[in-house]
Amino acid sequence: MELRLEHVGHIYNPGTTYERRALDDVCMTIGNGEFIGLIGHTGSGKSTLVQHLNGLLLPSEGKIYADGEDISAEGYPLRKLRFRVGLVFQYPEYQLFESDVLKDISFGPKNQGLNPEEAIQRAREAMRSVGLDESYETRSPFELSGGQKRRAAIAGILAMNPEILVLDEPTAGMDPGGRTEILQLLKKLQEERGITILLVSHSMEDVADYTDRIIVMEEGKILWDEKPSKIFSRIKELEKISLAAPQVSYVMAALHESGWDVDPSVTTIDQAADEIEAQVRKRQAAAGHAAAQVE
Ligand code: ADP
Ligand code: MG
C-alpha cells in the first residue's frame, strides 16, 4: 500500500494557551517495501508524524492519502487502516497487558475479527518470526527480559499482518546486542516479507546500517529525504541541528582531509574497513616500488 502526505501540518491544543505546532508542511510518500529511517532530535515531531500514518492523529492541515483515498474523509474506514499500518510505540512493553504472551499477541488479530483459532495461529507465526519459541506462549509478559518484551510487542503488531510497520524508537534504552537483534529482525521482515519498515531513531549508526532512505526532521519540518550516504555527507549541517553522522563518517572525513584517497561518504564500519585496506595496499605497493628503485 502507498501512503502519501501532502502539506501536512499538526497543531496540538489549537486555540488554547497550550497551542503548539508539531508538524509544518510535511510532504512524503512511503510504502514501496523500503526500509526508511526517520531521525531528528527530541521535539522535532517524529512521534507526532508517525501517529498520523495510521490515522491515530489526523492532520490539522493538508491531506493524507492511503492508496489514493483521503483518510480524513467522512466514512473512511480508519479502523482498517490501523491494521494495515502497524505502529509499535516507544517503550512498547507498556502495551503488554494480558496474562500470558500468546494471549497478548493474539489480542490484535482477535480484535481484527478473526476467530479464536485463526488468531492463535497468527500469534504463533508472529512469535516465531520474532524468535520467541513455544516455551514463551504461557509465560507472563511481565517476566520477560527487556529485549523479549520488545520482541513480544513487535509480534503483537505483526500478528495483524501489517503492510507497513512503523516503530517509534524500538531500541531506545537497549544494550548494543539487543539493538542489533531487533534491527536484524526488522531487516528480515522487510527483505523476506516485503513489509515497508519506517524506523524512528536517534541513533545514526542504526539508521546508517539498515535503511535505504533517511528522512530528517527539524522543528516539525522535513529537512532532507535522501539516501544514507547523501545524508551523512552533511556532517556540518547535521551538527547545526544537534544531530551527528555515524562516528565512522567522521573518521573517513578526517582521513580524506589529511590526504587519504578514501570515500568520505561511507557510513558503515565494513565499507570503511574496505576503503582503508585498499588504501593501505596501494601505499604499500607504492612504497615497495620506491624501495626497489632505490636498490
Ligand atoms: P519527537 O518524537 O521528535 O520527540 P514529538 O512529536 O513528540 O517529537 O513532539 C513534537 C512537538 O509537539 C514538541 O514540541 C512536543 O512538546 C509537542 N507535543 C507532543 N505531543 C504533544 C501533546 N500530546 N500535546 C501537546 N504538545 C505535544
Ligand atoms: Mg518521540
Side-chain angles (χ1 to χ4, degrees):
M1 80 175 295
E2 182 198 81
L3 283 176
R4 192 168 85 245
L5 279 67
E6 285 188 359
H7 308 288
V8 169
H10 190 85
I11 298 163
Y12 285 109
N13 312 310
T16 72
T17 42
Y18 301 103
E19 180 170 314
R20 167 96 214 175
R21 173 176 286 280
L23 293 179
D24 189 359
D25 198 28
V26 169
C27 298
M28 66 177 196
T29 301
I30 63 167
N32 294 314
E34 305 160 285
F35 195 141
I36 306 167
L38 177 65
I39 64 175
H41 74 82
T42 307
S44 59
K46 305 180 299 295
S47 295
T48 303
L49 176 58
V50 298
Q51 290 174 72
H52 279 75
L53 302 179
N54 71 350
L56 215 51
L57 290 176
L58 289 171
S60 322
E61 300 158 346
K63 295 276 184 204
I64 299 178
Y65 298 95
D67 285 339
E69 281 187 77
D70 178 357
I71 72 164
S72 297
E74 220 179 298
Y76 182 86
L78 277 176
R79 223 179 101 82
K80 281 199 187 129
L81 183 67
R82 289 190 190 135
F83 296 124
R84 297 179 73 189
V85 182
L87 176 58
V88 180
F89 286 91
Q90 199 165 352
Y91 298 107
E93 46 271 38
Y94 299 131
Q95 286 172 274
L96 301 168
F97 51 87
E98 291 281 0
S99 57
D100 69 53
V101 172
L102 189 63
K103 264 197 203 123
D104 212 293
I105 297 173
S106 56
F107 180 84
K110 266 186 204 143
N111 206 13
Q112 228 170 341
L114 271 73
N115 71 42
E117 293 87 78
E118 285 172 328
I120 295 285
Q121 179 60 25
R122 283 266 200 95
R124 290 209 161 106
E125 282 165 21
M127 283 182 70
R128 296 309 169 268
S129 56
V130 301
L132 294 173
D133 65 31
E134 239 183 280
S135 69
Y136 289 98
E137 290 181 2
T138 53
R139 305 252 299 257
S140 158
F142 305 101
E143 287 167 10
L144 303 180
S145 74
Q148 289 163 347
K149 278 183 189 156
R150 296 274 168 102
R151 281 191 274 162
I154 294 171
I157 302 294
L158 272 182
M160 295 184 273
N161 268 356
E163 293 159 65
I164 300 179
L165 180 61
V166 180
L167 305 103
D168 198 351
E169 310 217 16
T171 60
M174 295 183 79
D175 60 51
R179 272 175 33 201
T180 304
E181 268 179 36
I182 299 274
L183 292 165
Q184 280 174 349
L185 160 68
L186 299 178
K187 189 79 194 158
K188 205 177 92 190
L189 291 171
Q190 182 229 358
E191 288 178 348
E192 290 176 9
R193 297 223 227 151
I195 303 179
T196 299
I197 308 278
L198 186 113
L199 171 72
V200 177
S201 177
H202 56 256
S203 161
M204 302 305 146
E205 269 78 7
D206 285 358
V207 292
D209 286 352
Y210 293 90
T211 62
D212 315 313
R213 170 180 167 194
I214 295 177
I215 298 172
V216 180
M217 291 193 72
E218 168 69 358
E219 292 185 356
K221 290 193 173 70
I222 292 186
L223 263 190
W224 301 298
D225 181 347
E226 295 167 330
K227 282 200 298 212
S229 55
K230 186 84 200 288
I231 294 284
F232 294 127
S233 63
R234 302 177 181 278
I235 291 183
K236 292 267 154 25
E237 291 160 288
L238 286 169
E239 281 174 348
K240 266 192 216 137
I241 56 165
S242 317
L243 289 172
Q247 284 172 354
V248 65
S249 300
Y250 289 91
V251 173
M252 296 305 272
L255 280 175
H256 187 75
E257 251 171 57
S258 68
W260 282 62
D261 183 21
V262 291
D263 178 0
S265 74
V266 309
T267 53
T268 69
I269 306 256
D270 285 347
Q271 290 170 335
D274 288 347
E275 285 277 319
I276 292 170
E277 199 183 339
Q279 267 301 299
V280 168
R281 285 204 178 162
K282 232 176 172 177
R283 288 183 174 219
Q284 279 171 345
H289 191 70
Q293 273 181 342
V294 171
E295 280 167 24

